[in-house]
Amino acid sequence: MINIGVIGCGQWGPNHIRNFSSMEEVRVLMCADLNRDRLKAMKQQFRTIHPTNRFQEILNHPRIQAVVVATPTATHFNLVKAALMANKDVLCEKPLCLDERQAKELIRLAQKKKRILMVGHVFLYNAGIQKLKELIQKKSFGRIYYLHSERTNLGPFRQDVNAVWDLAAHDVSIFNYLLNAEPIEVSARGGIYLQKKIEDVAFISLVYPKNILVSIHVSWLDPRKVRQITVVGDKHMLMWDDLDQTGPVKIYDRQVVQKYYYETFGEFQLLAKEGTITIPKVNLSEPLKAQANAFIAAVRKRKSPLSDGRSGLSVVRILKAVQKSLAKRGVPVRLQ
Ligand SMILES: NC(=O)c1ccc[n+]([C@@H]2O[C@H](COP(=O)([O-])OP(=O)(O)OC[C@H]3O[C@@H](n4cnc5c(N)ncnc54)[C@H](O)[C@@H]3O)[C@@H](O)[C@H]2O)c1
């Protein structure tokens, strides 16, 4: 039996409690929040859980082996550090923290204490994103030219971090995973409309190795909920649409071919080659549940999960660079 404690029972924490509670040989013994109304609501929803307003009670509990941190981002570092110091395995919500040095400290601490440190980059456990990865990895897919994503909605609005740290954290984790690389340069422009000093919208450009260009548009001030990624390659093109009922992934067998006119050597024409659109089968499941399963597997096997501390650090480093570029109104920022 693996006993869990969840710190943070706001909008997202209860989803963790629900998923872990539904798993075999896993029990959510305790949950913590500073807000007593949230604790009351948790007790009503999950009858057997023991709520507390002091997270330290979870860390002191001898039978709790693993902790989920689902509090606002600025609190992650201190809570994760305290949990690791208390010898707990940790699943921390994205982004891991707000600073590279803090992320490195957490990774070192987890190593020293031989604890699992996982970051909730939930889209890496999304079956549609995994299908994209599978398709891109095939030799027959050919070369990737560029990718772009759109992640928009009207709300929910955050007051602790901007739309980059809240929303683009997902896209950056996805692109790092799909391309198995990190960008070498970023630039971004953002717009502040609803609150002081907090960007509601951002247009981000990233340059990955092999000259692969990535564009990310995030906004919580948009009329439509969109969760889409397009991958453009020389032989195939892919679309991922998380909200598409017919299937989240579409393979467009379309490409551009160069037709040479041999009589006038050197001249050629670019022709669009049409092909079929295929919707591959994707076994859909709740990504947060798949993430919970991956965490429990890591805890049981003592093996690093896909979204480990290092991938969390990488996202933090990139978001920091994006933030720097935002502050300089789009000036490109190089990453080491
Ligand atoms: N993976 C996803 O798709 C996804 C979706 C939503 C939120 N999140 C992440 O989850 C985290 C929480 O987001 P949310 O929307 O639930 O925020 P929220 O503000 O609704 O809830 C946070 C809760 O944490 C509590 N809290 C703050 N400090 C605490 C402390 N020291 N001890 C105990 N409780 C404390 C607050 O009282 C609040 O109830 C954030 O990191 C966010 O980025 C991830």
Side-chain angles (χ1 to χ4, degrees):
M1 179 66 71
I2 292 176
N3 292 314
I4 301 223
V6 174
I7 305 177
C9 309
Q11 191 201 321
W12 199 241
N15 292 325
H16 284 292
I17 301 177
R18 171 175 55 76
N19 272 309
F20 282 111
S21 301
S22 73
M23 292 168 72
E24 270 180 39
E25 295 293 306
V26 177
R27 229 177 359 200
V28 184
L29 285 191
M30 293 185 76
C31 65
D33 202 290
L34 301 175
N35 181 329
R36 287 182 188 276
D37 291 339
R38 293 307 302 150
L39 293 176
K40 246 192 241 163
M42 291 306 99
K43 187 68 189 166
Q44 268 169 5
Q45 202 176 338
F46 309 100
R47 298 276 169 194
T48 58
I49 208 164
H50 178 68
T52 174
N53 62 351
R54 287 181 299 131
F55 73 87
Q56 197 62 44
E57 264 191 57
I58 292 184
L59 304 190
N60 291 343
H61 197 301
R63 281 190 294 123
I64 290 183
Q65 179 180 351
V67 166
V68 178
V69 174
T71 53
T73 306
T75 65
H76 288 180
F77 173 70
N78 284 338
L79 290 171
V80 173
K81 186 173 172 184
L84 291 170
M85 293 292 285
N87 291 314
K88 310 293 181 194
D89 295 316
V90 181
L91 165 58
C92 176
E93 257 311 328
K94 59 82 204 164
L96 176 57
C97 52
L98 292 166
D99 186 88
E100 257 179 272
R101 261 175 306 174
Q102 291 181 339
K104 284 182 184 163
E105 189 179 330
L106 295 177
I107 291 168
R108 271 196 301 269
L109 186 58
Q111 272 166 353
K112 188 172 152 208
K113 293 277 188 179
K114 296 193 167 50
R115 294 296 108 196
I116 301 292
L117 173 59
M118 179 167 174
V119 185
H121 289 305
V122 68
F123 282 88
L124 306 196
Y125 305 92
N126 177 299
I129 295 298
Q130 284 172 350
K131 179 58 83 179
L132 279 192
K133 172 92 175 165
E134 181 194 316
L135 294 165
I136 286 170
Q137 271 178 334
K138 285 185 183 165
K139 262 215 167 114
S140 57
F141 187 80
R143 178 183 160 200
I144 296 175
Y145 288 146
Y146 75 94
L147 307 92
H148 63 93
S149 70
E150 191 176 348
R151 185 178 296 273
T152 61
N153 199 7
L154 192 58
F157 313 102
R158 289 201 170 272
Q159 291 169 334
D160 56 333
V161 290
N162 63 16
V164 169
W165 288 84
D166 183 31
L167 303 175
H170 289 306
D171 301 287
V172 168
S173 72
I174 293 172
F175 289 126
N176 283 358
Y177 171 61
L178 290 180
L179 299 172
N180 200 22
E182 292 181 20
I184 45 185
E185 188 179 283
V186 307
S187 57
R189 291 300 303 253
I192 296 174
Y193 305 105
L194 302 176
Q195 307 170 76
K196 276 189 186 150
K197 294 185 181 169
I198 294 185
E199 283 82 1
D200 308 289
V201 55
F203 299 91
I204 305 165
S205 297
L206 308 122
V207 183
Y208 278 79
K210 298 185 195 159
N211 204 22
I212 297 175
L213 198 61
V214 168
S215 156
I216 299 173
H217 170 205
V218 285
S219 173
W220 57 44
L221 181 54
D222 197 281
R224 290 182 315 142
K225 177 165 180 164
V226 179
R227 300 280 180 271
Q228 290 180 352
I229 290 176
T230 307
V231 184
V232 176
D234 61 348
K235 293 196 175 75
H236 301 278
M237 301 184 189
L238 305 175
M239 269 272 331
W240 169 75
D241 183 345
D242 206 24
L243 310 178
D244 191 335
Q245 300 295 320
T246 60
V249 176
K250 288 196 176 71
I251 307 167
Y252 291 78
D253 190 16
R254 304 187 72 181
Q255 65 186 113
V256 175
V257 286
Q258 294 183 353
K259 189 170 177 206
Y260 284 90
Y261 295 104
Y262 293 105
E263 56 275 20
T264 53
F265 184 74
E267 278 189 29
F268 66 90
Q269 205 181 12
L270 294 173
L271 295 175
K273 190 184 139 223
E274 298 294 335
T276 52
I277 301 171
T278 316
I279 303 179
K281 184 165 167 48
V282 174
N283 294 321
L284 293 176
S285 60
E286 186 184 349
L288 197 67
K289 173 118 196 189
Q291 179 184 275
N293 279 323
F295 180 58
I296 293 300
V299 168
R300 286 209 172 104
K301 294 179 188 153
R302 311 310 302 160
K303 238 183 117 190
S304 248
L306 176 62
S307 54
D308 60 0
R310 284 185 185 285
S311 70
L313 163 66
S314 169
V315 171
V316 169
R317 186 189 291 139
I318 295 161
L319 294 182
K320 265 287 214 206
V322 168
Q323 190 66 49
K324 206 168 164 184
S325 178
L326 277 182
K328 293 183 174 175
R329 302 205 287 163
V331 168
V333 175
R334 298 285 295 180
L335 282 143
Q336 292 299 322

